[in-house]
Amino acid sequence: MAAHFGRLRKGATTTAVAAVAVAALSASQAPGVTTDGLGRQAAGAAQPSGDAKTGGEGGGATGDSPYYTDLPPLKSPNPSPSASPTSGTTVSVGEAEAGIPATVLDAYKKAEAELRASKPGCNLPWQLLAAIGKVESGQARGGRVDASGTTYSPILGPKLDGNGFALIADTDNGAYDGDPAYDRAVGPMQFIPSTWEWAGRDGNGDGKKDPNNVYDAALAAGHYLCRFDRDLSVQSQMNAAILNYNNSTEYLNTVLSWLEYYRKGTHEVPDGTGTLPSHSSNSDPGASPSPTTPATPSTPGTPSAPSTPKPGSGGSTSPTPKPPTPSSPAPSPTPPTPTQTVDHLEDANTGKLTATAGSAFGTKVAVRAESKASKGVAKVRVRFTIIGDTDATFTGGESVATVVTGSAGTATAPALVAGEKTGDFTVRATVVGRVLGGLDYTATVTPRQADTLTRTSDTALTCVPGGEFADQVELKATYKGAVAGKVAATATLIKSADDATENDKGPYFKDADGKTIRTLTDLTTDADGVLKLPKLYADDATGTFLLRVNTTGGAVLTVELKVAAAAS
């Protein structure tokens, strides 16, 4: 990566072994481009890093900028399932290095979901985006992003001026990287401006394509890796995609190491608390990149003047002390993010959550993020999650929705839409990036109802003993004058108007085996509110009999059935 490295050195130090390992890559570079010992483009004629629109590989997405070389711990995350306090979902808890800041992790998973829908043959795993994000920017400097996913300060690489890196003259007039002379890699996924210009995506739906936004950058990286109809489940094609991103064997191996590590288990950590790497591909071993500011060469301190021997010291001259080692000033304390100032969630006048199956809830869940002083906190991501045995969703069909709090600290979930399953479920609100208790709301889905039943025909229903009724009973259900579709109903042949128990003689239905039954359950009106009963048959009893149909919601209709011998 490029944003954090202090003094940049031409031909960054590396071992002879690494140099030999990547020498073979020179042959795969674009014509006229040489490489240094790290497989990066060496200083040469100013040129863009390949025409990615036409498939040129060149310096890839990053211009082969520097990156973090820290490797994951030898000990695997050894995941143990547990419930996330922020999302309510099962996650793995393990080594600190396995923790990924909540918003950054959300961005990777959203990008994977979008690619799964738009390019299913690519088989992009979100862990690959996490591995690249780790080596490029330390997961956006440990998750130093705001509620929309934008870094609090730009992540910029060194000038690609040929001084130890590729020579890429300015292509964006400084629009993305602030440098009108040379390009720099930009953002948590370290895109050079010329690549971002065509590869950029809007991953958070705000109408902008910002390389410093982790949602935009993660989605762009996913599309970049999935180019050329690659199938990333094939190792050779995944390797090609990674090398296309940054053309270095060491880079490839580092990314694959983190990919394998994250596949063994990760867990969500609060934004701003991620573990920062400490070694980079362009610095001496042990160099510590700055986690908070863009790369700017530090100004050496002024050496102290040599001490002068005191008079009367016998004329002896003490050795001239060495000047102190230049040091960079201590970084200023970083103010807490809005998310870090949240102390709790409060209900924001959410009403009763009740809806009929298949309809929208009239009330939305609303919460307020508050500080310890009970003041609303703006620009905080609140996650709403539907929990329980239900097919209810938020508008759009999702069971999870993330909303950013407004100026008053309030976040309102999208409207709930009831499914066909009736009963209670829970909507849980939590703060993304904080380990805080959430708020639970009970929502209830009631059965569809009808308050009126009518026959669709006024034809008399008659039959001779031992015969079958020529007409089937057909009814229509309405509720408050509107069609009542998918309403549950029961039909019973009863003894009398005053005795609704099942009759034991007279007309009857047949079950699938042809046996006599006089009560039908699990009936449902169709989408137009119509219910057509099966054929009715008559035994030897004659007289007037009653069929009663009931629906949820209280609609009742009694129908007369007459059985009489045929006229002579």
Side-chain angles (χ1 to χ4, degrees), residues 127-518:
Q127 291 91 340
L128 176 57
L129 296 176
I132 291 176
K134 180 70 172 181
V135 303
E136 292 293 351
S137 67
Q139 310 297 18
R141 300 192 191 113
R144 295 288 303 167
V145 296
D146 63 18
S148 67
T150 302
T151 58
Y152 283 109
S153 58
I155 300 178
L156 298 175
K159 294 181 180 181
L160 297 176
D161 57 4
N163 185 22
F165 312 109
L167 175 55
I168 304 179
D170 176 66
T171 62
D172 66 331
N173 294 319
Y176 295 119
D177 56 15
D179 191 329
Y182 300 98
D183 273 352
R184 299 182 177 208
V186 182
M189 303 303 276
Q190 288 289 273
F191 280 93
I192 55 174
S194 58
T195 302
W196 183 261
E197 188 62 31
W198 61 266
R201 295 291 193 279
D202 176 14
N204 63 350
D206 63 357
K208 298 184 293 184
K209 299 175 183 178
D210 181 0
N212 278 300
N213 181 279
V214 70
Y215 286 95
D216 296 358
L219 184 57
H223 278 280
Y224 188 93
L225 294 165
C226 287
R227 292 182 308 155
F228 313 130
D229 295 324
R230 290 190 180 108
D231 180 357
L232 300 186
S233 66
V234 178
Q235 190 61 53
S236 60
Q237 296 189 38
M238 176 182 284
N239 292 353
I242 297 171
L243 285 170
N244 190 195
Y245 206 90
N246 191 316
N247 201 356
S248 161
T249 299
E250 182 183 354
Y251 180 86
L252 169 66
N253 292 334
T254 304
V255 169
L256 291 178
S257 295
W258 282 106
L259 169 63
E260 181 64 21
Y261 183 74
Y262 286 140
R263 276 177 164 167
K264 291 178 180 177
T266 60
H267 58 279
E268 180 183 288
V269 299
D271 289 344
T273 66
T275 302
L276 292 173
S278 57
H279 299 81
S280 62
S281 64
N282 74 311
S283 59
D284 294 331
S288 298
S290 164
T292 57
T293 57
T296 302
S298 58
T299 302
T302 302
S304 302
S307 59
T308 303
K310 294 181 180 180
S313 61
S316 62
T317 304
S318 59
T320 303
K322 295 180 180 180
T325 302
S327 60
S328 300
S332 302
T334 304
T337 67
T339 300
Q340 291 170 330
T341 65
V342 177
D343 179 72
H344 59 276
L345 287 176
E346 286 287 339
D347 176 55
N349 298 318
T350 301
K352 188 175 181 180
L353 298 170
T354 304
T356 303
S359 64
F361 284 72
T363 300
K364 296 180 180 180
V365 178
V367 299
R368 186 169 186 258
E370 294 186 350
S371 64
K372 285 186 178 180
S374 295
K375 292 184 177 180
V377 182
K379 297 182 179 180
V380 172
R381 294 171 62 81
V382 176
R383 180 181 295 145
F384 298 94
T385 306
I386 295 174
I387 301 171
D389 183 17
T390 180
D391 54 356
T393 65
F394 293 112
T395 301
E398 299 293 333
S399 61
V400 177
T402 303
V403 180
V404 178
T405 58
S407 58
T410 301
T412 302
L416 285 164
V417 178
E420 295 303 319
K421 289 185 177 180
T422 60
D424 294 343
F425 64 92
T426 299
V427 179
R428 177 169 298 163
T430 55
V431 176
V432 177
R434 287 298 305 275
V435 182
L436 296 173
L439 292 180
D440 284 355
Y441 295 85
T442 299
T444 303
V445 178
T446 59
R448 298 170 186 264
Q449 301 180 42
D451 54 16
T452 305
L453 275 174
T454 57
R455 279 190 66 196
T456 59
S457 169
D458 56 4
T459 303
L461 297 167
T462 61
C463 183
V464 297
E468 66 179 55
F469 288 79
D471 297 307
Q472 292 177 243
V473 178
E474 186 177 270
L475 312 171
K476 186 163 186 178
T478 56
Y479 182 69
K480 296 182 178 179
V483 169
K486 299 182 180 180
V487 175
T490 301
T492 306
L493 292 154
I494 62 175
K495 290 181 177 179
S496 70
D498 297 324
D499 186 354
T501 58
E502 184 181 273
N503 203 349
D504 55 0
K505 60 182 180 179
Y508 61 90
F509 299 106
K510 289 182 180 180
D511 65 12
D513 298 325
K515 295 180 180 179
T516 298
I517 56 172
R518 290 188 166 90

Side-chain angles (χ1 to χ4, degrees), residues 8-27 29 32-44 63-67 158 160 162-167 246-251 281-283:
L8 305 176
R9 304 186 180 189
K10 184 174 181 179
T13 58
T14 186
T15 64
V17 175
V20 172
V22 300
L25 290 172
S26 298
Q29 298 285 334
V33 181
T34 59
T35 59
D36 66 7
L38 287 175
R40 298 181 303 234
Q41 290 180 4
D64 293 341
S65 291
Y67 55 90
L160 297 176
N163 185 22
F165 312 109
L167 175 55
N246 191 316
N247 201 356
S248 161
T249 299
E250 182 183 354
Y251 180 86
S281 64
N282 74 311
S283 59

